[in-house]
Amino acid sequence: MSELGAQEQAVLKIIQDNPFAGQQEIADQLGLARSTVAAHIVQLVAKGHILGRGYVLPEPSRAACIGGAVFDRKYRARHTVIPATSNPVDGARSFGGVARNVTENLALLGTPVSFISIIGEDETGQALLAQLKARGVDVSQVVTTSERPTAEYAAVLDPAGDLVIGLADMGIFDLFQPAHIDRAWPHLAASSLVFADCNLPAEVLHHLIARRKGARFRLAIDAVSTPKVVRLPSDLAGIDLLFMNLDEANALLEREGLPPAKDAFEAASALTTRGVSEAVVSMGSQGMAVASDGKALHVPSVTAAPVDMTGAGDAMIAGTLHRLLAGDTTVEAARTGALLGALTTETAASVHAELSPHFLQANLHRLADRKG
């Protein structure tokens, strides 16, 4: 609580001991004016130590995720795709979006989590929210608009599962504004960790990073894609942990790639020189480079029998954040992230249907069987 003054700490201590204490009661105990206590309470809300009216105290390890909420359609061709004609496919539908996937993974792992995004006033958006609510996610800060439909992504895959063409209707995210961050700020400030993805507009990301500098939570961000990574500011100070793959890192750093194993370590280290505290640069089957405490270390991938790669990166992020909240170092946490990513590739779903704390614990032995 080093960011709190002596009087703020004293007010918070009384509220912790008695959440029903009134402002005048607190003022009398501390020998302060009631207006002074009211001002301190406003600051405690802004700094995330209480949740506002009623002095509800935040949970000790809570996450908030901001970004993409998408309805995914996937069509896998039964034969070689022939352009300009009808092709027989096997179709599947699911909810997706990087932040949404990370949120669901965290909820299944037992992490208290809030989700903040924007959806359309349509059945798809309502179904998406209902599914997250059923997982125990707080969706009270999700914005609903009539201006655009809920985001959708359609992927056409060849018989081997490789992408032939992807179609994205993501215009709704352009409607998400910095003011939405301000409205949800008590939820963010009360979190131990906030995760955002680069589906958010650049001005929203910049605003979030700027406001984070006065808050107590750690901020983690995922690049999402090469075109979207450039939405990040050139000065990355204020970001505690940055996730991206090697192509995204090189795009942000405006550098030419080297052989992946060497390049990822240099890219991760270079990101920290831009101001980010720690960086995770993924190399697919070759694992991850984690830059932390002035050095870059290798976290190997976990051996898997992949069925579908969709959602693996999001699961890796969620596994890492889950263990960071539990007190692991970033390198230790990334090992669990690598495991959860591998487990997710072994199912056709974007989020593993069997995921739970027990399921993850039962598979920890696989960390001994890693590609290095």
Side-chain angles (χ1 to χ4, degrees):
M1 295 193 296
S2 59
E3 77 275 16
L4 299 183
Q7 289 186 358
E8 289 175 331
Q9 291 185 39
V11 171
L12 179 59
K13 178 64 168 60
I14 292 174
I15 291 172
Q16 288 172 332
D17 292 339
N18 177 16
F20 297 100
Q23 291 182 3
Q24 188 60 58
E25 180 182 352
I26 298 171
D28 291 343
Q29 289 188 48
L30 297 177
L32 301 173
R34 179 172 177 170
S35 59
T36 301
V37 171
H40 287 323
I41 289 172
V42 168
Q43 288 302 308
L44 289 170
V45 171
K47 295 176 181 179
H49 289 276
I50 60 176
L51 299 184
R53 192 172 182 178
Y55 311 145
V56 179
L57 298 172
E59 295 169 88
S61 294
R62 183 173 189 86
C65 298
I66 319 170
V70 183
F71 184 61
D72 287 337
R73 303 175 188 268
K74 188 186 301 181
Y75 304 99
R76 188 163 183 163
R78 296 181 179 179
H79 312 290
T80 302
V81 175
I82 302 174
T85 188
S86 177
N87 290 266
V89 300
D90 293 312
R93 295 166 176 80
S94 63
F95 297 119
V98 174
R100 196 221 68 87
N101 287 349
V102 171
T103 299
E104 186 178 1
N105 276 293
L106 286 173
L108 290 171
L109 288 170
T111 297
V113 59
S114 299
F115 180 61
I116 302 168
S117 187
I118 185 168
I119 59 170
E121 290 182 353
D122 47 41
E123 291 183 7
T124 300
Q126 291 306 307
L128 189 152
L129 289 189
Q131 192 259 2
L132 286 177
K133 284 181 182 178
R135 301 294 198 199
V137 176
D138 177 357
V139 296
S140 62
Q141 300 304 301
V142 173
V143 179
T144 302
T145 179
S146 60
E147 295 183 48
R148 297 281 304 193
T150 299
E152 291 195 16
Y153 175 75
V156 178
L157 311 176
D158 65 18
D162 294 322
L163 183 68
V164 175
I165 187 171
L167 305 171
D169 180 2
M170 305 287 181
I172 191 170
F173 298 128
D174 294 334
L175 302 178
F176 197 89
Q177 298 296 312
H180 295 131
I181 294 293
D182 294 336
R183 189 189 78 172
W185 193 254
H187 285 254
L188 301 180
S191 301
S192 305
L193 189 148
V194 172
F195 169 77
D197 70 34
C198 286
N199 282 308
L200 298 170
E203 60 268 27
V204 174
L205 290 167
H206 292 207
H207 184 65
L208 174 62
I209 293 166
R211 283 210 66 172
R212 174 259 173 268
K213 294 176 183 177
R216 69 190 184 102
F217 61 78
R218 286 185 289 178
L219 177 62
I221 295 180
D222 179 60
V224 177
S225 68
T226 300
K228 292 178 180 179
V229 72
V230 297
R231 296 177 180 178
L232 291 170
S234 56
D235 180 0
L236 300 174
I239 303 174
D240 295 288
L241 179 58
L242 193 55
F243 294 94
M244 58 183 62
N245 64 30
L246 185 52
D247 289 340
E248 293 158 356
N250 283 333
L252 181 63
L253 295 167
E254 298 179 319
R255 63 200 291 273
E256 294 295 327
L258 301 169
K262 174 180 173 59
D263 196 19
F265 290 93
E266 293 189 3
S269 297
L271 289 170
T272 62
T273 66
R274 291 282 190 94
V276 66
S277 299
E278 298 178 304
V280 175
V281 177
S282 58
M283 302 176 284
S285 63
Q286 296 185 60
M288 295 174 278
V290 180
S292 178
D293 295 327
K295 54 188 175 184
L297 300 175
H298 182 226
V299 174
S301 60
V302 176
T303 302
V307 172
D308 191 322
M309 302 301 292
T310 306
D314 306 336
M316 180 275 289
I317 291 170
T320 302
L321 299 182
H322 173 68
R323 290 308 309 169
L324 280 175
L325 287 168
D328 285 1
T329 67
T330 302
V331 172
E332 292 169 339
R335 293 189 179 105
T336 299
L339 172 61
L340 185 52
L343 292 169
T344 303
T345 69
E346 297 180 337
T347 175
S350 299
V351 176
H352 203 298
E354 298 178 36
L355 184 58
S356 69
H358 175 75
F359 179 78
L360 186 62
Q361 181 70 30
N363 283 278
L364 286 179
H365 68 277
R366 294 180 57 174
L367 287 175
D369 183 19
R370 292 179 291 172
K371 300 176 182 178

